[in-house]
Amino acid sequence: MKLLYFDDFKLGVLAGDTVVDVTALVADLPHRGTQDLMNGLIENFDTYRGRLEDAAKGKGIPLSQVRIR
C-alpha cells in the first residue's frame, strides 16, 4: 500500500492508476500538520490498515488528474 498527499495535501492511497481520498478515515488522529498526520498514521498503522485497504478498493480519482505532493 502506498500513501501519498495530493492536491491540497489530502491524504490518499494509490490504487493502480487512481488515488483514493482517505482523509476522512484518519480525521481522528491528532495532528498539527501533514507530517504529524503521517507520523501518527505510521505509529497506529495496525489500527487503520483494514480501513485503508477497504477504501483502496473504492472509486478513486485518476492519477493524471491530481497533483501529487
Side-chain angles (χ1 to χ4, degrees):
M1 174 182 318
K2 294 182 181 179
L3 300 171
L4 56 87
Y5 283 111
F6 69 100
D7 293 342
D8 293 332
F9 293 93
K10 297 175 191 172
L11 184 64
V13 174
L14 184 62
D17 60 349
T18 64
V19 175
V20 179
D21 186 352
V22 294
T23 306
L25 294 178
V26 296
D28 59 335
L29 276 171
H31 64 282
R32 293 183 189 158
T34 56
Q35 186 173 355
D36 289 340
L37 177 59
M38 190 62 77
N39 287 337
L41 180 56
I42 290 167
E43 291 171 8
N44 297 286
F45 192 71
D46 289 340
T47 302
Y48 290 90
R49 179 182 215 138
R51 289 185 257 178
L52 294 171
E53 288 174 341
D54 289 343
K57 297 173 188 171
K59 185 173 181 169
I61 305 164
L63 193 55
S64 62
Q65 294 179 13
V66 300
R67 180 178 181 194
I68 297 175
R69 300 295 186 146

